[in-house]
Amino acid sequence: MAEIELTQGGRFVDAQGAYDLPVSLPFDSVSTVVAAGHGPEPYAGDAETALRWIAERDWVLRRSVTLTQTDVEMVLSGLDGVVDVWVNGVDVLTADNAFRTWRVDLSEYAQTGENQIELRFHSVIHAAEARQKAQPFYIPYHKANCPIPNINMLRKQQCDFGWDWNIALAPFGVSGGVSICPAMKTRIAHLHVAQAHHDIEAESVSVTVTAHVEHGDGAVVAMRFADRTREVVVTDGVAQAVFFVEVPRLWWPNGQGDQPLYPLELRCGEAVVTRRIGLRRIEHVAVNDAKGTGGTGFKFRVNGRDVFAKGANWIPADALHGRIERDKVRDLLRSAVDAHMNMIRVWGGGRYEPGWFYDLCDEMGLMVWQDFMFACNLYPADRAFLDNVAAEVREQVQRLQHHACLALWCGDNELLGMLHEFPEARAHRDRYLVMYDRLNQTLERALFGVDPEANWWPSSPSLGPLNYGDAWHEDRSGDMHVWTVWHENMPFEAYREMRPRFVSEFGFQSFPSMAVIRRFIAPEDRNMASAVMDAHQKNAGGNARIVSTMMRDFRLPERFEDLVYLSQVQQGLAIKTAVTAWRALKPQCMGTLYWQLNDTWPCASWSSLEYGGGWKILHHMAARFYAPVLVTVVPQGDKDVFKLINDLPDEVDVSIQVAAVTPKGDVRPLAEVCVTAMTHKAFDVLELERSLLKQDELYVFTWQYKGQNEGGEGGDIHAPQPFKTYDLIDPQIVIGTKELRGKIEITLEARALALFVTLEADQPGRFSANAVTLLPDVPQKITFVPQGSDMKTNFTVQNLYEATLGGAR
């Protein structure tokens, strides 16, 4: 009998009998109900609470399947929620972990002919409450994040019950699939791929492939890798072969080299498994450096080369997993690469992504920091919970271990902080600390039981193993989460006062663009103080903080549209200040991953890519402040120090020009310097007394670089004073357009200094740059590639003068 995929033909029925809906796998409950016309669009207006009834009920997915034999097993993956599986009226399984695959022998329950299959979904809200009540004492969850309680009781996506950027809909369903196959069929359960780089300089690599085979003892596994073939007999469920690659093509992160992937194929009877393997060695280096700060460093070394990690945090691509599409995810990851990122952190409150996600990261050169799925809560530590977690970890590590992109496994997100934050944990610290330690040790043992060579970090942020100190404020060791600017309302300059080793979270909010707002918020609700705008802001006081911070540096706009634009400028400046300051500390600091890359739904958030994949101003700025060769200004007292950073593999020759510019656009040269930029550290190239600038002047500077294999240019501005102190004048920007093959070339010209000049289009597409600076009579060309084939596009332009000084229009 061939494997039967139970994808089509199901019915989704609620326990009250009010709904009987068609359903196909994979699915989520909310998308299914809404698609059938029984609820509003979840992301429009304030529809959120009107849809929570779905998660309050029990539901059943029913379908029948015809079998020609009874010695079969059922395979279920991504059962999201607490689910009883019934076959022909018999309860054969309770699945309570969305991150596991379940296999059930149906030989005793199946029958030839028609069989009835039911997936009985318990209300996730009620199931979580019941499990909390069954605990010997209360286990706290983060109430500010989760308006629906007790998500920490369930092994499912933690942000499903809400977060300070996510809608709280408590979706459930099947994110994977359900199938029936012969019970004793030979199958390759999983692979383990181990690399030994015997000589980095000579690039000699041996690859050991271990296949774990079920129902196949005595069978032959044919393995093919790097144009070599091995045939190995399965013994005690294992077949192993070693492949030597004398002159390999090494895999590198984005910006460091190419990403060649070698095909690997295994055949055992009818079972066929294929993978693509990147040959590389990634070391996580976290050692005490007594000669430096006396703290513990934190960096990644790839193929013997220390690499500064540049990137962002990844959250689920949509709040409803039934709406996630591979092509849209590819676009999000491609946008990360286009902004010179080389690492993303798959955050611990979301999900382990499907295999194709990591395939894309392999292809694009995006290293993956992979959290285990625990975030901002405390968790049970009873034997059943920990056994469930251990099985989850073993499966996920077995599934992902071979990927070239996989750089680090991290135990959790911010659980150490919860030991300080929750009053229950402060009152009974020993109890909750022991519980945390049991969970953390379970993760570590399960990880190394599958992959002894894995890179492991116990928690994020963390000062290091068995150190439970404050990694939000301590910068000498490990990785930091820096939230003082946003949550503690400190000025952007506070970023420059820290000397971190690696920053794995930091961020500042903005509103989504008007294009997104127009899709989901009605005209009458487009006001900062409207209830609907509040409903799309999940961080308490977030909208007020955006506006109040704006008053420090800018004159407040009068129009809603200008306030939205300026919020994005402000967000970009916040993250630019942090990243450039910390890149300028290289090698003291060796990584910045800002919070966050993407959005799960249209809302005010810390993302640089808004819902739908559009680039916010921050992402355009990131493409510049993450550029491989960067010149930046670091204020030091009454002086401004120009720093040069080169993240390319080889040194380059750099020419730098610095000038002063007035609001009128008059340019006064200040200095020019030519240097050779090494790769191992940032260094000072120029120091200027700030008194050289007149009261109304800003720095404007450009640079060009050239090396043996690389060349390019860049430019930036630096304002020593808040922007509200500069009396800008109307730049009278003129826009010219010309249609080229598949794109539109836009020429921008100004009559005075124009800051943060940002184009918007009336159709989706990608601009080559945005938030640019224009000098008088210096035209700048920007290209726009429409998402569709329609080249009829209307453009509008915004700039700082028009937003803050132009008045109501």
Side-chain angles (χ1 to χ4, degrees):
M1 187 188 81
E3 183 175 2
I4 302 173
E5 298 280 352
L6 305 185
T7 303
Q8 306 293 329
R11 305 297 300 183
F12 192 50
V13 182
D14 70 318
Q16 287 88 331
Y19 300 94
D20 185 346
L21 314 175
V23 67
S24 300
L25 304 185
F27 83 102
D28 74 74
S29 54
V30 177
S31 297
T32 300
V33 172
V34 170
H38 298 293
E41 161 54 42
Y43 302 161
D46 55 356
E48 177 179 2
T49 55
L51 290 167
R52 287 198 189 148
W53 64 269
I54 301 170
E56 293 278 0
R57 301 186 180 190
D58 294 347
W59 293 77
V60 180
L61 190 160
R62 295 194 180 106
R63 66 153 294 163
S64 63
V65 59
T66 300
L67 300 178
T68 58
Q69 64 187 68
T70 60
D71 55 334
V72 295
E73 66 178 2
M74 181 182 289
V75 184
L76 310 100
S77 64
L79 293 191
D80 185 5
V82 179
V83 190
D84 294 330
V85 180
W86 288 66
V87 177
N88 294 327
V90 180
D91 187 353
V92 300
L93 170 71
T94 295
D96 60 351
N97 191 326
F99 309 128
R100 290 181 60 184
T101 298
W102 309 85
R103 306 185 76 92
V104 185
D105 185 351
L106 299 185
S107 302
E108 296 182 23
Y109 319 111
Q111 58 194 26
T112 55
E114 189 173 359
N115 292 258
Q116 300 300 320
I117 310 295
E118 290 187 347
L119 305 182
R120 301 184 180 182
F121 293 88
H122 296 265
S123 162
V124 290
I125 295 176
H126 296 156
E129 181 183 18
R131 293 189 174 203
Q132 179 71 269
K133 289 180 178 178
Q135 296 296 321
F137 44 79
Y138 176 70
I139 302 178
Y141 68 94
H142 203 299
K143 292 181 176 65
N145 282 341
C146 300
I148 302 174
N150 302 315
I151 185 61
N152 55 337
M153 296 293 106
L154 301 180
R155 292 309 300 140
K156 75 189 305 295
Q157 192 165 281
Q158 296 293 277
C159 62
D160 279 346
F161 281 21
W163 218 261
D164 60 357
W165 39 261
N166 198 37
I167 193 168
L169 293 171
F172 56 92
V174 179
S175 62
V178 179
S179 63
I180 296 177
C181 60
M184 299 302 291
K185 184 177 181 179
T186 298
R187 69 183 186 91
I188 301 172
H190 65 271
L191 304 180
H192 185 276
V193 179
Q195 301 182 28
H197 291 247
H198 304 291
D199 188 335
I200 287 293
E201 292 186 2
E203 297 181 342
S204 173
V205 178
S206 63
V207 178
T208 302
V209 180
T210 305
H212 296 264
V213 183
E214 291 196 357
H215 313 307
D217 271 16
V220 173
V221 178
M223 303 186 188
R224 183 170 179 81
F225 179 74
D227 297 324
R228 293 171 172 83
T229 301
R230 305 278 190 272
E231 290 190 347
V232 190
V233 176
V234 179
T235 304
D236 295 329
V238 174
Q240 186 177 89
V242 179
F243 297 85
F244 289 94
V245 185
E246 287 80 10
V247 186
R249 292 174 295 125
L250 296 180
W251 183 95
W252 291 95
N254 179 39
Q256 297 294 314
D258 296 330
Q259 295 81 43
L261 298 170
Y262 288 76
L264 169 65
E265 180 183 271
L266 282 71
R267 291 180 177 270
C268 185
E270 296 180 1
V272 179
V273 172
T274 60
R275 299 284 188 268
R276 292 183 301 164
I277 308 300
L279 300 180
R280 90 295 184 267
R281 180 171 67 192
I282 299 181
E283 301 169 80
H284 176 230
V285 183
V287 296
N288 186 274
D289 57 353
K291 294 182 179 179
T293 66
T296 301
F298 192 110
K299 63 183 175 183
F300 293 92
R301 181 172 294 154
V302 185
N303 303 328
R305 180 190 303 163
D306 290 348
V307 174
F308 192 101
K310 298 181 289 191
N313 285 258
W314 173 269
I315 60 176
D318 203 289
L320 300 172
H321 64 71
R323 296 185 173 193
I324 295 175
E325 300 176 24
R326 179 172 180 166
D327 286 346
K328 292 181 180 179
V329 171
R330 178 190 291 273
D331 287 344
L332 295 173
L333 295 175
R334 174 52 57 188
S335 290
V337 170
D338 291 345
H340 304 291
M341 296 185 189
N342 58 26
M343 175 174 276
I344 57 171
R345 174 183 175 228
V346 178
W347 168 75
R351 65 177 193 162
Y352 308 97
E353 295 292 341
W356 53 259
F357 176 93
Y358 303 91
D359 289 338
L360 291 172
C361 292
D362 287 343
E363 295 169 10
M364 297 182 187
L366 282 170
M367 294 185 290
V368 173
W369 166 320
Q370 178 68 57
D371 280 0
F372 288 110
M373 293 299 119
F374 302 88
C376 296
N377 301 307
L378 296 179
Y379 291 88
D382 57 273
R383 182 172 297 176
F385 186 87
L386 295 181
D387 286 349
N388 196 357
V389 166
E392 165 193 325
V393 170
R394 287 191 294 269
E395 177 177 339
Q396 295 301 330
V397 176
Q398 289 167 356
R399 183 174 69 95
L400 301 178
Q401 176 270 338
H402 72 278
H403 282 282
C405 64
L406 190 60
L408 183 72
W409 288 98
C410 178
D412 63 71
N413 174 77
E414 297 188 350
L415 265 61
L416 291 177
M418 300 307 106
L419 293 170
H420 302 277
E421 181 166 335
F422 294 139
E424 298 87 353
R426 292 197 301 270
H428 304 282
R429 179 171 174 78
D430 290 351
R431 169 194 293 172
Y432 291 101
L433 180 59
V434 168
M435 291 174 64
Y436 169 80
D437 186 60
R438 287 178 178 175
L439 173 62
N440 200 252
Q441 286 196 46
T442 297
L443 300 173
E444 185 177 7
R445 283 196 299 266
L447 167 64
F448 287 124
V450 173
D451 188 4
E453 303 302 318
N455 291 326
W456 158 256
W457 190 244
S459 180
S460 182
S462 172
L463 300 173
L466 299 180
N467 189 328
Y468 305 123
D470 182 5
W472 279 264
H473 298 89
E474 170 60 63
D475 63 1
R476 292 190 311 115
S477 297
D479 73 310
M480 288 187 75
H481 291 187
V482 177
W483 285 109
T484 48
V485 169
W486 174 258
H487 288 300
E488 299 178 28
N489 201 30
M490 295 182 70
F492 299 166
E493 289 73 23
Y495 289 128
R496 296 191 179 111
E497 297 172 4
M498 304 171 192
R499 298 182 60 83
R501 313 312 302 266
F502 193 108
V503 190
S504 45
E505 272 193 31
F506 60 103
F508 198 91
Q509 276 198 354
S510 76
F511 299 114
S513 70
M514 286 305 303
V516 171
I517 288 173
R518 291 185 187 105
R519 285 178 58 200
F520 295 98
I521 297 178
E524 61 270 21
D525 294 318
R526 295 171 194 166
N527 182 288
M528 283 305 115
S530 75
V532 170
M533 286 296 291
D534 281 344
H536 287 251
Q537 167 61 272
K538 297 302 182 183
N539 185 244
N543 290 353
R545 186 169 296 125
I546 291 172
V547 176
S548 65
T549 303
M550 201 176 287
M551 295 174 65
R552 293 176 184 166
D553 289 321
F554 300 101
R555 306 181 194 189
L556 281 182
E558 296 182 14
R559 298 195 315 157
F560 176 80
E561 292 86 345
D562 292 330
L563 194 63
V564 167
Y565 154 78
L566 194 57
S567 79
Q568 292 203 7
V569 170
Q570 175 174 260
Q571 178 192 33
L573 288 173
I575 306 308
K576 174 189 171 185
T577 301
V579 170
T580 54
W582 297 333
R583 285 189 70 186
L585 295 175
K586 179 184 177 181
Q588 163 78 17
C589 178
M590 284 299 291
T592 58
L593 308 178
Y594 64 73
W595 186 270
Q596 64 212 60
L597 181 66
N598 56 309
D599 269 334
T600 58
W601 75 303
C603 62
S605 84
W606 299 268
S607 73
S608 64
L609 298 174
E610 56 198 1
Y611 185 70
W615 286 33
K616 288 184 178 179
I617 285 175
L618 167 57
H619 208 79
H620 284 286
M621 288 190 181
R624 298 193 285 270
F625 63 61
Y626 272 154
V629 176
L630 177 74
V631 177
T632 190
V633 177
V634 177
Q636 294 182 3
D638 294 330
K639 299 178 181 179
D640 292 310
V641 179
F642 287 75
K643 298 269 190 174
L644 174 59
I645 304 103
N646 173 22
D647 288 336
L648 292 170
D650 302 306
E651 64 182 40
V652 292
D653 294 324
V654 186
S655 298
I656 305 167
Q657 305 83 36
V658 181
V661 61
T662 66
K664 185 178 178 181
D666 295 330
V667 176
R668 181 169 60 91
L670 294 177
E672 185 169 351
V673 63
C674 296
V675 295
T676 298
M678 306 298 181
T679 64
H680 65 287
K681 69 173 185 177
F683 55 97
D684 302 353
V685 292
L686 187 64
E687 184 179 288
L688 296 178
E689 297 286 343
R690 195 166 305 124
S691 59
L692 289 175
L693 285 182
K694 299 175 183 177
Q695 183 65 30
D696 64 342
E697 288 182 325
L698 299 79
Y699 290 114
V700 59
F701 50 101
T702 54
W703 63 93
Q704 307 81 37
Y705 65 92
K706 187 172 181 57
Q708 184 175 356
N709 301 306
E710 301 278 356
E713 61 184 8
D716 204 353
I717 63 166
H718 177 75
Q721 305 298 326
F723 284 101
K724 65 183 180 182
T725 65
Y726 296 94
D727 291 324
L728 301 177
I729 62 177
D730 187 354
Q732 302 177 38
I733 297 172
V734 177
I735 306 176
T737 62
K738 180 170 64 175
E739 290 187 13
L740 303 175
R741 182 177 297 179
K743 62 183 179 181
I744 302 171
E745 183 180 84
I746 306 156
T747 302
L748 298 174
E749 294 187 72
R751 300 292 179 263
L753 176 67
L755 299 175
F756 310 112
V757 179
T758 301
L759 287 161
E760 292 186 349
D762 63 357
Q763 67 165 311
R766 175 78 60 82
F767 290 100
S768 61
N770 239 334
V772 299
T773 300
L774 297 181
L775 298 176
D777 304 318
V778 182
Q780 188 160 158
K781 295 186 185 300
I782 294 175
T783 59
F784 176 76
V785 180
Q787 196 173 83
S789 58
D790 186 7
M791 299 295 286
K792 296 179 181 179
T793 307
N794 296 309
F795 299 101
T796 56
V797 65
Q798 292 177 292
N799 65 84
L800 189 58
Y801 170 83
E802 292 291 331
T804 59
L805 297 170
R809 294 178 296 281

